[in-house]
Structures are given as structure tokens and as C-alpha cells.
Amino acid sequence: MASRKLYIGRKVRELRDANKATQASFAERIGISTSYLNQIENNQRPVSASVLLALAEKFQIDITEISQGDGDRLLSALTEALSDPLFENYAPNLQELKLVTQNAPGFARALISAHQAYRRNSEQLASLDDTLGKSIGLTEPTPYEEVRDFFHFVDNYIHSLDIAAERLAGELGIGERDSHAVLAGHLESRHGVRIARADANDDALRRFDPKSGVLFLNPYSPVATRSFQIAFQIAEMEMETEVAQIARSADFRTAEALEICKMGLRNYFAGALAFPYHAFMKAAGELRHDLELLAAHFGASIEQVAHRLSTLQRPGHKGVPIFFARIDRAGNITKRHSAAKLQFARFGAACPLWNVHQAFEMPGRIIRQLAETPDGARYLCIATEISKGGGGFNAPHRRYAIALGCEVTYAQDFVYADGLELNSKTAYDPIGISCRICERTNCQQRAVPPLKRKLVIDKDVRHPLPYRIA
């Protein structure tokens, strides 16, 4: 079988720019001519195996880092967009789509954005016929969607914030001492901000009064939540210049999206401070990604641990590629990120055959699943139910299921793989990404027909589904 040609000109150019090297000096360092490097950067020639190895050796990076990156995410989003019946007369093959995402990623993102606008406008028009005139402004993504896509395409890893957080964590001894006391002490000693209990009737998790220099925390919140809110306050007081610069560089459409992004970046710093990169990755490896043990070790919640695991994407020091999601009882995905090949659908609900839905039936337990997607990729999936509340019997409780996992080739790094028949084909449950783009023809849990497939309706025969997929 011929090896796949690798066109990674944009990434090579970004690597050269990051090292502030001219084409001539960069080419000399990896042992090729300047003209060859110029052709590589313009995607006129593929990268050979020897050049790829030279890049890895000279710049201390993983080969997978330079050869993959956000390509899988962009390819998944573009494939889903082009599966819409809107493009029924155009069916590009996988190689064509890869060429677009590799050679013209900006164009691919523009097409995805245009498709999002089309779908959003169509859905609004279908349900709001009486307010047609007001639907004009609904063609753009919402601020939350825009920020979600920003984090998605930066691989949910913000290098400057991660490095700064790890440096501060080292100074404070995070992971070696009680994090809550350490963070509270730092906030008071460096910024003069005192921690106090919020009023019993105040349902805010955190409320900062800049005039008095008091940070009020909800006394009914778990310690892990209160510690995270302190870390968030530290981010606001120490990293605001960096946060503002990163958010501005994203060039959001609205001021609202800009502020939401800043909030997300402060949250990112808080998570990186609570879980310093190298210390956390080392512990994850030693404890084989045991969520409960990691939560106990860092004084954190299982959700916080699972989320941080999905962000270990530092160039040259990547952790296991993990997908992470949080889902509510209605099946809405309220948090999502995937460093693995598995990508979440941008529209529609998650596959009903995915074990994350079962987590609500078994609260407090971690459940496992071996799953296979239609493209033949296999995954170890872990899911558990979490409850967020506090404030007594009459207080509302929010229930979610969190899910994370990895491709089965990494399963041995997880304690949850023990005892599972990883090599047995029958051990894997068939799952999809979303019914609307899933090509499986024999799934009895299908909610809607797949797009771009013809249906056969036979009035004389009734199967579990009222149609067959041609």
C-alpha cells in the first residue's frame, strides 16, 4: 500500500516563524535546499519521511504533532457540513477534503461558518415564521458558539497561560500542600484580597467586591469548587493583560463574545494552576488515569480532572489524546473537546448507543464501554454521573453525565481497560457521532435518517424503523 503523502506547509511555516528563522537557515538546519523548503511551505511538494524525522529531531517535537494538529477536527467539521442536502449534487471524496483542509484551512473554516449561518437561519425561519423580519440577525453564530469554535480550533490548549500557571503553581507548591489554603494565602498576601463566606441567600459561586477587597464564596459549594473560584480570581488579577491580548487576537464579531472568551481564558488559567501541566501528566501516567485517585491527589472534582486531561496538548510533551464531554439529561452537550480522532457533532444530539446516557441510570458509578465508529476507529469510553447542588434538601440539583475516552491503542494507559477484551471484535458496540451524519443502515436506535441517503418506504412491510436506507 502506498504511503499517504503529507502536505503540511502551513505547519512547517508556523514552526519556522516560531523559531524566528529565515527559509535559508531553517532549510540548512534540517538538511534540505531553500527551494525545497519553499515548495513544502506552499504545499507544492509533500514532506518526506527524512524531513519529518529531521523536524522531530532538530526541534524536539513529536512526529504526530507536526503531522496532525487540528486537521482531524477541521476535516470532521467540513465533512459534516458537506453532508447537508444543500450540497446534494456535490460529493467530494476523502482525499479531496483532506487537500482542502491541508492547503486552504481558512477557506474550509469560511465554508463551515457559512453553512452554520445557513442552518441557523433555516431553523429559525421554520419556527419563527411570524417574526421573519427579525431573523436577519440570526445568521451569525451566537457568541457562545463563536467562543466554542475558538477553543476547538486551538486544540483547547493556550500555551502562554499554561506556562504561566505552571510557573506560579511551582512557586506556591500546588500539588504538594493543601491547594485551597495555598491559593487563599496567595490571594491575600499578594493582592490583599480576603476570603469570606457569602450570605446564605446568595446563590452565586463567587462574588468579588473590589472596593472592600473581599472575595465571597458560596459556603455550600464543595472545596474543589471554592478552590477553583479562588484560582479564577488570581487569573483575573494577574493575567488580565495576557487574557485580553489573546481574546482580541481572535477577532470576535461582538463584544459579548470577547467577554465570554475572556471568561473562558480565566477558567483555563485556573484549571492549569490547579493542575500544573507536568506534575498532573506525571500523576495521570502513574495512576493510569484513575479519575477518583487523581481527584483525591489534587483536591479536585472528577469533572475538573476529566476536563484537564483533555487539554494536555503541549507541543513536544503531549499527553494521551482524550475526548471529553459533559451532557445534561436532555442529551445536550454542554462542554466538549476532543484531542482524539473522535469528533463531536456540531448539530444534533449524541448517539443514543453511547454509554454516557447510561450514566444517569447508575449514579455514582463509573461505567465502561468499548465502542467502534463507522470509520472503523475503536475507543475506550468512560462515563459517570455527577450532581451539582448544595444548600440543603430544597435546593435545586443539576445532574450531568461526563464522558471521556481514548482510541483503543492507548487503552493500556487506563485502569478502566483492565479485564476488557480489547482484541475481540464482538466486544465493541457500534456507535456514531450523530444520527444525521451516521451511515449505519441497520441501527434500530436511529432518531432521524442520515442526510444525503435515499429512503425506501414500503407500506406492506414494517420494520422497527418506518423506512429502509437505500
Side-chain angles (χ1 to χ4, degrees):
M1 180 181 294
S3 59
R4 179 173 65 90
K5 292 183 179 180
L6 198 60
Y7 292 90
I8 52 172
R10 181 174 58 89
K11 295 177 185 176
V12 173
R13 185 164 53 253
E14 289 174 352
L15 180 61
R16 178 172 64 81
D17 290 342
N19 285 271
K20 299 179 179 178
T22 63
Q23 280 193 336
S25 62
F26 193 84
E28 181 180 3
R29 189 169 178 185
I30 59 176
I32 61 175
S33 67
T34 304
S35 61
Y36 182 21
L37 175 62
N38 183 64
Q39 289 175 315
I40 289 174
E41 290 191 355
N42 287 286
N43 282 322
Q44 295 171 353
R45 290 181 65 180
V47 173
S48 66
S50 59
V51 171
L52 195 59
L53 289 171
L55 289 169
E57 178 183 353
K58 300 296 184 182
F59 298 97
Q60 290 77 51
I61 58 174
D62 294 333
I63 289 179
T64 53
E65 171 199 336
I66 194 68
S67 63
Q68 293 178 359
D70 69 351
D72 286 342
R73 287 178 293 281
L74 192 59
L75 179 63
S76 174
L78 184 61
T79 301
E80 183 177 354
L82 291 176
S83 70
D84 195 295
L86 175 69
F87 304 102
E88 62 182 350
N89 294 322
Y90 178 59
N93 59 39
L94 183 61
Q95 186 60 33
E96 289 179 294
L97 293 176
K98 285 182 177 179
L99 285 173
V100 172
T101 56
Q102 291 167 355
N103 296 337
F107 175 80
R109 290 192 178 95
L111 180 60
I112 292 166
S113 297
H115 176 254
Q116 284 180 307
Y118 164 79
R119 276 192 56 86
R120 189 172 297 105
N121 192 42
S122 298
E123 290 167 0
Q124 291 293 338
L125 289 174
S127 60
L128 301 175
D129 289 342
D130 58 334
T131 56
L132 181 60
K134 297 179 182 179
S135 66
I136 297 174
L138 299 173
T139 59
E140 294 184 347
T142 67
Y144 269 102
E145 289 172 330
E146 198 175 1
V147 173
R148 179 199 65 190
D149 286 348
F150 163 76
F151 279 99
H152 181 68
F153 286 112
V154 299
D155 212 9
N156 205 24
Y157 175 78
I158 311 295
H159 187 71
S160 59
L161 295 184
D162 215 295
I163 292 291
E166 187 174 32
R167 185 183 305 116
L168 179 58
E171 295 173 5
L172 300 180
I174 298 292
E176 301 171 5
R177 302 155 56 193
D178 177 59
S179 297
H180 184 82
V182 168
L183 292 171
H186 174 75
L187 192 59
E188 184 166 9
S189 63
R190 179 169 295 187
H191 302 287
V193 174
R194 181 171 56 88
I195 306 295
R197 292 164 60 94
D199 186 88
N201 296 321
D202 189 349
D203 62 355
L205 298 178
R206 176 184 62 86
R207 188 181 301 279
F208 178 57
D209 183 353
K211 290 184 179 180
S212 64
V214 177
L215 177 64
F216 294 96
L217 298 178
N218 191 314
Y220 301 117
S221 295
V223 173
T225 300
R226 283 180 275 144
S227 296
F228 188 89
Q229 295 305 322
I230 297 174
F232 180 96
Q233 191 64 44
I234 292 172
E236 188 172 356
M237 307 196 82
E238 298 187 14
M239 299 302 300
E240 203 58 14
T241 299
E242 182 72 15
V243 162
Q245 181 179 350
I246 295 170
R248 283 197 302 269
S249 69
D251 195 25
F252 291 111
R253 292 181 174 89
T254 65
E256 190 177 8
L258 180 70
E259 291 306 316
I260 292 171
C261 183
K262 288 181 182 179
M263 189 79 70
L265 292 170
R266 296 182 197 114
N267 278 329
Y268 184 93
F269 180 87
L273 180 58
F275 305 103
Y277 195 96
H278 283 96
F280 182 68
M281 189 165 72
K282 181 175 182 289
E286 292 175 348
L287 298 174
R288 299 185 62 212
H289 297 83
D290 189 306
L291 298 179
E292 293 167 298
L293 294 182
L294 285 169
H297 181 83
F298 287 92
S301 70
I302 285 180
E303 180 184 353
Q304 290 170 348
V305 168
H307 195 167
R308 181 57 167 156
L309 284 172
S310 73
T311 69
L312 299 182
Q313 295 298 298
R314 182 174 297 181
H317 301 279
K318 291 190 176 185
V320 173
I322 286 173
F323 64 80
F324 163 77
R326 189 182 72 182
I327 299 177
D328 66 15
R329 293 293 300 270
N332 300 305
I333 301 179
T334 59
K335 286 184 181 181
R336 70 182 74 192
H337 176 64
S338 180
K341 186 178 180 181
L342 178 72
Q343 299 299 320
F344 299 105
R346 301 166 72 81
F347 301 99
C351 176
L353 300 177
W354 192 20
N355 71 335
V356 66
H357 303 289
Q358 300 171 23
F360 290 108
E361 302 169 13
M362 295 178 280
R365 291 181 55 188
I366 291 179
I367 57 177
R368 310 176 295 174
Q369 180 185 37
L370 294 176
E372 181 176 340
T373 48
D375 60 0
R378 293 179 174 180
Y379 300 91
L380 169 66
C381 305
I382 303 131
T384 189
E385 184 262 2
I386 60 173
S387 178
K388 297 188 175 187
F393 178 76
N394 292 318
H397 285 253
R398 293 168 292 149
R399 294 183 64 197
Y400 299 98
I402 61 169
L404 76 155
C406 65
E407 292 182 48
V408 76
T409 51
Y410 298 97
Q412 69 276 4
D413 296 327
F414 286 72
V415 67
Y416 306 106
D418 293 351
L420 297 179
E421 298 181 19
L422 302 179
N423 297 318
S424 173
K425 182 174 178 60
T426 59
Y428 290 83
D429 296 326
I431 67 169
I433 303 305
S434 174
C435 288
R436 64 187 297 275
I437 59 173
C438 181
E439 291 295 311
R440 296 192 193 277
T441 60
N442 59 347
C443 178
Q444 297 186 6
Q445 283 286 326
R446 179 176 290 280
V448 295
L451 298 172
K452 303 188 81 169
R453 292 293 296 271
K454 291 184 178 180
L455 303 182
V456 177
I457 311 298
D458 188 341
K459 65 182 179 60
D460 296 321
V461 181
R462 179 60 161 91
H463 292 285
L465 293 179
Y467 53 80
R468 285 192 303 107
I469 300 170

